[in-house]
């Protein structure tokens, strides 16, 4: 994470609330089953599940806008749909990477065309073994967590839950929360400026490789990365 991550969404603190308010509108006048937001999230899930292209998705949105009763709130373009989802914290960045996973082409490597470690090109090699300049060899999708953390502090209820670990009464000799663990106490003692502020987030990172539904060829590898916020009470932190 770097300072740039903090810049996201910072200019308008009410934008998120506006989007939520906007998303609460019924999909069309009188519709009780779907809101603008729930319809969009369902459609976007379909797009992701079936690998629908952006062009196809836009055409589908336009058709649906036409099929639904007048006054419907369905976005009419991919751009509008993305804007709503990004404001909800579902934004992502695409980063260029070395095909051998040595570096990301950012900061001092922003303009490099070859990996400084293994020397391999940033561009993809065609079937004729000629490099296709501008066609990336590898792209990493990065989901910045900081906008999601900001969201957590925007909700009064969640913000209160984030200090639950400091407000609760611990039971002697029992470990009911990571806050009872020696490593948590070690952190409090070693870095008191972090430990003394209960709103500071304590995160656990866990990941492993898997092949969803065994439906991908073995050339593909998916690694779910799970970030757990240990500040929350036990009934929320594993949700
Ligand atoms: Zn490399």
């Amino acid at each position: 994470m770097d300072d740039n991550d903090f810049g996201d969404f910072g200019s308008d603190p009410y934008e998120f609330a506006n989007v939520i308010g906007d998303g609460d509108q019924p999909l069309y006048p009188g519709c009780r089953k779907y809101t603008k937001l729930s319809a969009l999230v369902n459609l976007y899930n379909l797009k992701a599940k079936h690998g629908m292209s952006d062009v196809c998705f836009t055409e589908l949105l336009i058709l649906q806008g036409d099929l639904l009763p007048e006054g419907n709130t369905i976005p009419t373009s991919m751009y509008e749909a993305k804007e709503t989802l990004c404001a909800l914290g579902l934004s992502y960045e695409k980063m260029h990477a070395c095909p051998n996973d040595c570096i990301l082409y950012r900061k001092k490597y922003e303009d490099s065309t070859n990996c400084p470690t293994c020397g391999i090109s940033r561009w993809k090699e065609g079937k004729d073994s000629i490099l296709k300049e501008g066609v990336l060899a590898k792209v990493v999708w990065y989901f910045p967590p900081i906008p999601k953390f900001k969201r957590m502090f925007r909700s009064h209820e969640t913000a209160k839950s984030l200090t639950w670990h400091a407000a609760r009464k611990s039971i002697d000799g029992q470990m009911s929360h990571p806050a009872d663990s020696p490593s948590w106490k070690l952190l409090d003692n070693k870095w008191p400026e972090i430990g003394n502020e209960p709103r500071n987030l304590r995160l656990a990172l866990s990941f492993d490789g898997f092949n969803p539904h065994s439906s991908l060829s073995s050339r593909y590898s998916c690694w779910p990365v799970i970030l757990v916020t240990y500040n929350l009470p036990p009934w929320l932190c594993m949700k």
Side-chain angles (χ1 to χ4, degrees):
M1 285 177 220
D2 59 33
D3 291 345
N4 294 335
D5 294 322
F6 290 91
D8 175 70
F9 211 72
S11 55
D12 182 1
Y14 300 105
E15 194 181 338
F16 178 62
N18 291 342
V19 168
I20 290 296
D22 185 42
D24 273 346
Q25 295 175 63
L27 183 58
Y28 53 84
C31 176
R32 288 187 180 176
K33 198 166 180 186
Y34 287 100
T35 61
K36 177 184 175 180
L37 193 62
S38 68
L40 183 59
V41 169
N42 275 288
L43 283 167
Y44 209 80
N45 277 342
L46 271 184
K47 175 189 179 331
K49 194 172 164 190
H50 300 289
M52 210 183 289
S53 71
D54 286 3
V55 177
C56 176
F57 190 64
T58 299
E59 286 184 15
L60 184 73
L61 289 175
I62 294 169
L63 177 67
Q64 272 170 340
D66 231 18
L67 291 171
L68 289 168
E70 221 169 287
N72 69 72
T73 51
I74 199 97
T76 50
S77 68
M78 184 67 205
Y79 177 78
E80 204 189 318
K82 265 191 177 171
E83 224 180 20
T84 308
L85 293 170
C86 286
L88 285 172
L90 301 173
S91 60
Y92 59 86
E93 281 171 42
K94 283 183 177 177
M95 293 179 183
H96 308 167
C98 162
N100 292 330
D101 305 323
C102 313
I103 57 141
L104 291 171
Y105 287 99
R106 58 200 297 259
K107 296 189 176 172
K108 64 176 176 175
Y109 301 126
E110 182 99 47
D111 300 318
S112 306
T113 51
N114 285 76
C115 171
T117 310
C118 70
I120 211 165
S121 173
R122 180 172 181 167
W123 314 125
K124 202 173 185 172
E125 210 173 81
K127 281 181 185 162
D128 48 7
S129 301
I130 295 172
L131 289 173
K132 294 179 176 176
E133 200 168 315
V135 181
L136 296 159
K138 193 168 196 173
V139 180
V140 172
W141 288 43
Y142 170 60
F143 295 84
I146 288 173
K148 283 126 195 124
F149 297 149
K150 285 182 178 177
R151 267 342 72 83
M152 293 170 100
F153 281 106
R154 285 211 173 99
S155 152
H156 186 261
E157 204 178 309
T158 318
K160 203 175 159 193
S161 296
L162 287 168
T163 55
W164 180 90
H165 66 96
R168 86 213 164 93
K169 282 189 184 111
S170 72
I171 303 161
D172 274 352
Q174 285 185 25
M175 190 168 132
S176 56
H177 188 271
D180 297 324
S181 69
S183 47
W184 187 289
K185 281 161 194 154
L186 178 74
L187 195 143
D188 283 346
N189 289 328
K190 216 169 173 185
W191 294 283
E193 70 281 10
I194 293 173
N196 289 340
E197 172 53 72
R199 287 174 298 181
N200 280 332
L201 295 176
R202 315 228 183 170
L203 307 167
L205 186 71
S206 145
F207 51 89
D208 198 359
F210 85 126
N211 187 346
H213 315 299
S214 305
S215 59
L216 301 174
S217 93
S218 55
R219 290 193 303 120
Y220 293 95
S221 163
C222 282
W223 283 54
V225 179
I226 298 166
L227 198 60
V228 180
T229 312
Y230 276 158
N231 291 47
L232 296 166
W235 56 89
L236 285 178
C237 84
M238 290 301 171
K239 261 194 171 177

